[in-house]
Amino acid sequence: MIAKKTSLKKCSSAKTLAKYIAGAKEKGEKLDQFWLSNCKAGEGIDDLDTAIAEIRATQALNARSKSDPNYHLVVSFAEGEKPDIDVLKDIEQEFAKALGLEDHQRVVGTHINTENFHMHIQFNLVHPETFRMHTPFRDFQVLQLTAAELEKKHGLEVVQGRGPDKDRMHNDQENQKARGKEANSWEQSFSGYLKEHKTDLLAVLRVAETWEELHEGFALYGVELRRRGAGFVFRDIDTGTMEKASAVDRLFSKKNLEDKYGPYRKQDRLVDPTKPKSKYRRRPLDPRLERHPAWKRMTGGNTGKRVSWRRFLEQQAGIDAEAREALELQKSYFQIITGQEPKKIRTRQIRPRKSKGMSR
């Protein structure tokens, strides 16, 4: 099984993507199964038009995010392999759960062509009740881990070729230090924050026509672009933390930006710092735990030496039930995004000094 997020230029809206999944009009394709999930309109293809209106209405109630609210996942199976409908629905639900989109509206269709049987899943990233937009974090790793687990669960054939492409391998190498920091602290790094808002930053790049517009757009996310060495870096306006811009995406490379805007220009005027849509702040690696009582207790009114979220949980788990609960939740989340158990933190042992006096 290969699970991959994809995008079709001709299907840039909820309506066109849903119609594509239901229509299967590409050469050699034919619609096999179709269903809707979490749509009040119904569950079948006859309910599609009403479901599309429902999805678009939900997306319209989120006025804050300018990112694409549609997430298109394609799950391909080995040649000759065609799971039963119950298995397909379980696979759809497990991917939704892993991506944090279990309660979100979905349009699902399976297509048959001359080579591989595959399933399209359209997720509405805007929650139907809170109307908040959820962008899956590190979805590539999540999809790979979930696909491997589902292959074992349902006895499916392992498809060769599932793995990181060259760009992802390059970015992984560039961000190894940040990933190590997250693994040791269980707190989001600046690199992680930039990756989380990568779609937003690329949207700024897409619409900005001058250096000034680009700077103003980046400032809405609490970052600025600066020249450093032979390239550019993103710098957090509040803390001064920096990350290589091309490690976030190759489109932020010095060559690409100067080809588009000309020689680099500093920001001419200051942007009101009170207006950012979002900014980097201290946050647990699992964003759901930011409201957990243990996190609030660690960050609220602590005037002593700052300790990491991981260190705090490991120290408190033996004596505090809430910390113990948060520890297990954070371990599970870490395993999902990395595919491995958290490694033990190396600590330096302090040995007692030897007496300078003569031994007897």
Side-chain angles (χ1 to χ4, degrees):
M1 178 194 309
I2 295 178
K4 185 177 182 180
K5 177 188 176 184
T6 187
S7 60
L8 300 173
K9 292 182 179 180
K10 59 185 177 182
C11 300
S12 57
S13 69
K15 181 178 179 179
T16 54
L17 180 55
K19 290 287 187 180
Y20 165 77
I21 293 174
K25 295 179 180 179
E26 290 295 301
K27 183 178 179 181
E29 293 202 17
K30 181 181 178 181
L31 181 67
D32 181 58
Q33 300 281 353
F34 180 89
W35 67 91
L36 301 165
S37 295
N38 296 331
C39 291
K40 295 178 180 179
E43 298 180 355
I45 196 165
D46 293 337
D47 305 307
L48 179 60
D49 289 339
T50 308
I52 290 172
E54 180 184 336
I55 291 170
R56 295 177 68 182
T58 302
Q59 294 175 348
L61 290 171
N62 179 289
R64 295 183 62 187
S65 178
K66 302 301 181 184
S67 303
D68 185 359
N70 303 295
Y71 187 103
H72 183 193
L73 177 65
V74 179
V75 182
S76 300
F77 300 91
E79 188 173 351
E81 190 171 57
K82 186 174 181 292
D84 295 334
I85 183 65
D86 292 339
V87 173
L88 291 169
K89 287 192 173 183
D90 182 69
I91 290 172
E92 175 236 339
Q93 291 170 3
E94 289 300 319
F95 274 117
K97 188 185 300 183
L99 291 168
L101 299 168
E102 186 176 12
D103 298 328
H104 291 235
Q105 298 153 331
R106 305 190 288 277
V107 177
V108 190
T110 59
H111 293 185
I112 300 175
N113 61 18
T114 56
E115 295 179 355
N116 295 83
F117 175 77
H118 55 278
M119 176 166 60
H120 292 263
I121 308 174
Q122 173 187 354
F123 296 92
N124 178 12
L125 296 180
V126 179
H127 194 281
E129 294 181 1
T130 66
F131 308 120
R132 293 182 179 178
M133 184 162 168
H134 171 71
T135 302
F137 180 61
R138 286 187 172 173
D139 53 341
F140 179 77
Q141 292 94 329
V142 172
L143 293 174
Q144 305 316 299
L145 177 62
T146 306
E149 291 174 345
L150 288 170
E151 285 170 343
K152 293 179 181 179
K153 179 180 180 180
H154 295 294
L156 300 172
E157 183 178 341
V158 178
V159 178
Q160 298 299 320
R162 186 177 68 230
D165 56 30
K166 291 182 179 179
D167 285 339
R168 290 187 182 276
M169 291 175 65
H170 170 77
N171 287 342
D172 281 349
Q173 292 171 357
E174 291 287 344
N175 291 291
Q176 190 66 39
K177 184 176 180 180
R179 290 167 62 189
K181 180 180 178 181
E182 289 182 340
N184 285 329
S185 68
W186 289 351
E187 296 180 27
Q188 186 183 48
S189 65
F190 182 52
S191 173
Y193 171 79
L194 292 172
K195 289 297 177 67
E196 182 181 352
H197 291 278
K198 175 180 172 178
T199 303
D200 298 313
L201 296 173
L202 286 172
V204 171
L205 175 62
R206 189 164 56 249
V207 301
E209 297 183 356
T210 64
W211 278 111
E212 185 175 359
E213 290 179 358
L214 188 71
H215 288 310
E216 290 182 356
F218 287 160
L220 292 175
Y221 298 93
V223 300
E224 58 185 355
L225 188 76
R226 288 198 173 186
R227 186 162 48 195
R228 185 176 178 86
F232 291 141
V233 295
F234 281 114
R235 179 181 180 274
D236 178 53
I237 294 174
D238 288 343
T239 66
T241 308
M242 291 182 286
E243 173 71 14
K244 187 177 178 181
S246 61
V248 179
D249 193 280
R250 295 291 183 87
L251 292 176
F252 296 125
S253 68
K254 183 174 184 289
K255 181 180 185 305
N256 185 69
L257 293 180
E258 291 195 335
D259 283 348
K260 182 175 181 179
Y261 301 115
Y264 173 76
R265 289 184 57 186
K266 291 183 179 180
Q267 194 166 349
D268 293 333
R269 57 187 178 85
L270 294 176
V271 177
D272 187 348
T274 63
K275 292 184 178 180
K277 294 180 179 179
S278 175
K279 62 180 182 178
Y280 176 56
R281 68 185 190 284
R282 192 177 186 189
R283 199 201 77 181
L285 199 55
D286 183 348
R288 298 171 300 178
L289 293 178
E290 193 167 8
R291 296 182 179 181
H292 197 280
W295 174 264
K296 292 181 178 180
R297 188 164 65 255
M298 184 192 77
T299 57
N302 185 7
T303 58
K305 184 178 179 181
R306 171 170 167 161
V307 296
S308 71
W309 175 229
R310 177 175 183 174
R311 182 76 70 183
F312 174 82
L313 291 180
E314 291 178 341
Q315 289 175 346
Q316 297 292 315
I319 58 175
D320 185 272
E322 290 178 341
R324 190 158 53 249
E325 177 191 55
L327 177 65
E328 292 305 316
L329 290 171
Q330 188 68 81
K331 279 184 176 180
S332 298
Y333 184 83
F334 184 85
Q335 188 173 8
I336 287 174
I337 66 174
T338 65
Q340 59 187 7
E341 291 283 346
K343 295 181 180 179
K344 292 183 178 180
I345 301 176
R346 294 183 178 180
T347 56
R348 183 172 62 90
Q349 294 184 346
I350 302 176
R351 298 179 179 178
R353 294 183 179 181
K354 293 183 178 180
S355 174
K356 294 183 179 180
M358 295 179 62
S359 60
R360 296 183 181 180

